[in-house]
Amino acid sequence: MRNLPRILIVEDEPAIAELIAVNLRHNGFQPFWAMDGVTAQKELDDVLPDVILLDWMLPGESGLALSKKWRNHARTKDIPIIMLTARSEESDRVAGLDSGADDYIVKPFSTKELLARIRAVLRRRAPEQSGGRIQMNELILDADTHRVTFQDQPLKLGPTEFKLLQYFMTHKERVHSRGQLLDRVWGDHVFIEERTVDVHVKRLREALGAAGAMVETVRGAGYRLTELSSSSPASNATSN
């Protein structure tokens, strides 16, 4: 018997949690429920799930705080997190993604949409097909060991930022639209707004530190990864 993907539902409203759990069971997933951060942490300490569905508004620690904590912990940093919330403002979406969430769904949502997004993050979590070592100047990415260094110093990248950088480095100097990046890095048939790309590019630049200048924004077109050159004249590309 194959192992069913484990989904941890962190939701303080039992009716919503049960509805989600029933639909997950009927579609080949194994749901577990936690009503707050303390209970969720006990579940994580016991067995790691394949995906966390995390409500923003929770008693005690908020979903935002929990997402940041789990993303910064070595044991849980690679678990895909989908934030579920009634907060629909763009600033809320950005805050949710900045906290480390991989996706953000506004309530109420359809079962089909939720299942599609869960499957999407599971696909993105799958091991990279291409391995090996890629180098641009002093920036080195090793896909086999999942390590990135710049000037011989290790850099800490989240799973999505690592995949984004790997794609950039294997397609350097090319301009990629947000839509193209969604298809190539996140996968096609994924219900994610293009704004998500901007958030992860920003996070990638911050993680790269001094090498972040290599990721350029090309106005009206998208992003590209280019060789660092202090003597290059200014062009239509600017970082933001």
Side-chain angles (χ1 to χ4, degrees), residues 5 11 28 36 45 59 76 93 112 151 159 196 207-208 234 240:
E11 167 66 62
D36 55 29
D45 292 341
T76 54
R93 293 172 183 267
K112 287 184 178 179
Q151 296 179 341
T196 302
L208 291 177
N240 60 12

Side-chain angles (χ1 to χ4, degrees), residues 44-111:
L44 291 172
D45 292 341
D46 183 20
V47 180
L48 290 179
D50 294 288
V51 177
I52 298 173
L53 301 181
L54 180 60
D55 185 28
W56 182 315
M57 304 300 291
L58 293 168
E61 283 188 281
S62 70
L64 210 63
L66 291 170
S67 178
K68 290 178 180 178
K69 180 174 73 174
W70 293 334
R71 190 58 75 223
N72 289 324
H73 193 281
R75 188 167 179 268
T76 54
K77 67 182 179 67
D78 293 328
I79 301 175
I81 297 173
I82 299 177
M83 190 159 284
L84 311 178
T85 176
R87 305 172 72 120
S88 60
E89 295 295 324
E90 182 184 31
S91 58
D92 294 325
R93 293 172 183 267
V94 172
L97 294 169
D98 272 341
S99 74
D102 296 271
D103 203 352
Y104 187 106
I105 305 181
V106 177
K107 299 176 182 178
F109 47 82
S110 70
T111 299

Side-chain angles (χ1 to χ4, degrees), residues 127-134 141-144 162 166-167 170:
E128 294 288 344
Q129 296 301 312
S130 59
R133 187 173 181 270
I134 313 168
L141 180 147
D142 191 322
D144 295 328
F162 184 92
Q166 184 177 18
Y167 181 75
T170 52

Side-chain angles (χ1 to χ4, degrees), residues 1 6 9 26 29 49 65 67 86 96 110 137 152 177 181 191 240:
M1 181 177 178
R6 296 171 59 91
I9 306 165
H26 287 168
F29 297 98
S67 178
S110 70
N137 291 342
D152 296 323
S177 70
L181 290 172
F191 298 93
N240 60 12

